[in-house]
Amino acid sequence: MEKITFLNPEFFWLFLLVPVAIAWLFWKKNQQSPTLKMSSLKGFSGAESLAAKLKPFLSVFRILALCSLIIALARPRTVDVSNQTKTTKGIDIVMAVDISGSMLAKDLKPNRIEALKRVAADFVTERPNDRIGLVLYAAEAYTKTPVTSDKAVVLEAIKSIKYDTLLQDGTAIGMGLATAVNRLKDSKAKSKIIILLTDGVNNAGFIEPETASDIAKQYDIKVYTIGIGTNGMAESPYALSPTGQLLFRNAKVEIDEPLMKSIARKTDGRYFRATSNSKLAEIYDEINKLETTEIEELKFYDYDEKYRPFVLLAGILLLLEIGLRNTVYRSFI
């Protein structure tokens, strides 16, 4: 009965008529059979027959038939609900990540690159309905993963991010942004987003960041910019030892915040500053909330009507009562 619902439960109010029907039948029972007045019943003192004992149950059949009809009118039925969701307005996102040598600084733990990888992976996991791509840049820029809905590919690409000595060291913010724009310019998505992260100032590349942001604006691409690095000094790499190991020393953290704010403002995005692991995680959480994907949920209802057995039962009970009254009990005294 847990899965049974009633389409017209208001008909259950008719059960209030059942006591009335019982009272009426009890009041009329003496008029439903012929009576005979006799001066003495001594000659009829024998045991009462089985038929006489069962006759009162004819009224019970009528009451049960009434109850069955009331339940049938309430339309009992079971329902099987199946859900189907689809993305109605998806978002295409490209994360443009600075992988210059300074991203190995240890102000975020264990370093900026590793801290970013953890947060970015969580961000991707929490956006199952969007397409995501990955662009990496230092003095040059390249597409690590094109925009795709295959989250396993994106997560594997994020996992493999590392400081690449094959790239010339430097920070080409304009190149990184332009490459990300190129990945999104032909997108048909409802919203196109770039998350541009850097820890320095633009000092390389042949495309100016302002030019790249103008192109992003032209293609209705919103850019969220993130400056990563603590305020003040940070333990940063500055050279290689004779054995090939990176050498670290305290260096001043320099981020071109006016440029980052300008890019965000021009493209209707926002600028964030990540000075710690927790702050970086908060920033990605906030972007996740700012850019929501519209999901349409379709529900399919399969109803199985259950009123027919109650109608059939009521009919059988009424036919049984009528049949017995007109056969077995027709001349019964």
Side-chain angles (χ1 to χ4, degrees), residues 288-304:
N288 192 31
K289 294 174 183 177
L290 288 171
E291 297 297 331
T292 56
T293 301
E294 295 183 20
I295 304 297
E296 180 180 357
E297 182 177 33
L298 302 176
K299 286 190 176 183
F300 300 92
Y301 297 86
D302 183 18
Y303 294 102
D304 184 10

Side-chain angles (χ1 to χ4, degrees), residues 300-317:
F300 300 92
Y301 297 86
D302 183 18
Y303 294 102
D304 184 10
E305 298 287 350
K306 299 295 184 182
Y307 69 89
R308 295 179 184 85
F310 293 97
V311 175
L312 182 61
L313 177 60
I316 292 173
L317 290 172

Side-chain angles (χ1 to χ4, degrees), residues 14 35 55 58 92 104 114 152 157 160 163 168 177 180 187 193 196 240 243 250 270 281 305 307:
L14 293 177
T35 59
K55 186 181 179 183
L58 294 180
D92 281 357
L104 296 174
E114 293 302 318
S160 65
Y163 170 62
Q168 182 180 353
L177 179 55
S187 170
I193 304 297
L196 177 69
L240 289 174
T243 60
N250 282 334
R270 284 182 59 183
E305 298 287 350
Y307 69 89

Side-chain angles (χ1 to χ4, degrees), residues 62-110:
R62 190 177 301 182
I63 296 299
L64 291 176
L66 176 62
C67 293
S68 294
L69 286 175
I70 292 173
I71 295 173
L73 288 171
R75 292 284 295 277
R77 60 184 182 175
T78 58
V79 58
D80 181 26
V81 182
S82 58
N83 296 333
Q84 184 179 17
T85 60
K86 67 176 182 178
T87 304
T88 57
K89 294 182 179 179
I91 298 176
D92 281 357
I93 302 171
V94 171
M95 293 186 289
V97 179
D98 184 349
I99 57 167
S100 59
S102 58
M103 284 291 289
L104 296 174
K106 298 179 180 180
D107 48 351
L108 275 69
K109 304 302 179 184

